[in-house]
Amino acid sequence: MIDLGDPDRQPAQSHATSPGRHLARRAMTPWIVVAFVTGVAIGGVGVDQLGDSRDEREQNAVVALAAFPESAETGGVLAQGWARLVTQMRLVNGGPAPITVRAVRMESPSVTIRGIGPPPVVPARGVGLLVVELGVECATPIQPEPLSMRFTVETTDRHVSEVDQPIVLVRSEWERDARAVCESPG
């Protein structure tokens, strides 16, 4: 190649690195590896905690509820052919977290049930009581088929859901108590 004396032209640069620059890269390599490993570890812990949090939320949203009639604590009232009783319902929470039973209701042509007491908090895998008003039409026999009750339930994460639960009244304490009111002299 012939140099024609171009003043703006710089001499060709060598692609070889200087020894000082090579040492600086070599010293920085372990820090890059440490930073990468640390980032992976922190990210892994964060993802693991996120997964645990999601699993816990999903578990707390599980509602496994069973309900059973309890005997009336007070006598009932006979009004217009209906026995009206204030009674209790035993609630069994089979789920992994506490639940609050906000409401209960059931209506059929011959039986009505509605929650009237304060909403009970039923502990995880525990039992609670709910005060309800029971109405039974005296002229109609209670059917042997289970009645479907609707519960409004709130989980610990403030999620509210509706849960249907069958309840059998035939040969229950509620039927016995309602029949006693129906047969009482008016």
Side-chain angles (χ1 to χ4, degrees):
M1 186 179 229
I2 302 173
D3 184 12
L4 297 177
D6 188 2
D8 291 332
R9 189 172 186 128
Q10 299 290 327
Q13 300 244 348
S14 167
H15 291 295
T17 58
S18 64
R21 200 168 187 190
H22 185 63
L23 287 175
R25 279 189 182 163
R26 199 181 266 176
M28 195 168 25
T29 301
W31 290 109
I32 291 173
V33 170
V34 167
F36 177 75
V37 169
T38 303
V40 168
I42 291 172
V45 168
V47 167
D48 187 46
Q49 287 179 347
L50 179 63
D52 289 348
S53 175
R54 185 179 313 126
D55 291 345
E56 184 178 339
R57 280 193 314 271
E58 286 174 2
Q59 271 189 336
N60 288 343
V62 172
V63 175
L65 180 67
F68 305 96
E70 288 285 314
S71 182
E73 291 184 3
T74 61
V77 175
L78 183 60
Q80 299 175 348
W82 281 74
R84 302 260 179 223
L85 299 106
V86 174
T87 188
Q88 293 182 338
M89 176 178 292
R90 181 170 304 277
L91 304 172
V92 179
N93 176 8
I99 58 171
T100 302
V101 178
R102 294 285 174 205
V104 61
R105 63 192 168 283
M106 194 287 306
E107 290 185 23
S108 77
S110 61
V111 178
T112 62
I113 300 168
R114 67 181 181 93
I116 59 172
V121 176
V122 185
R125 295 177 180 76
V127 177
L129 291 173
L130 174 66
V131 178
V132 297
E133 181 184 67
L134 170 67
V136 176
E137 184 182 31
C138 293
T140 307
I142 293 179
Q143 300 301 311
E145 298 84 26
L147 299 172
S148 183
M149 297 183 64
R150 172 135 311 176
F151 293 86
T152 303
V153 178
E154 183 178 348
T155 55
T156 54
D157 63 353
R158 304 237 186 259
H159 178 74
V160 177
S161 59
E162 299 285 321
V163 177
D164 289 325
Q165 171 67 40
I167 190 163
V168 177
L169 294 183
V170 170
R171 291 188 288 282
S172 72
E173 293 183 36
W174 284 2
E175 180 187 35
R176 185 195 68 213
D177 295 341
R179 292 294 159 218
V181 171
C182 287
E183 294 167 2
S184 68

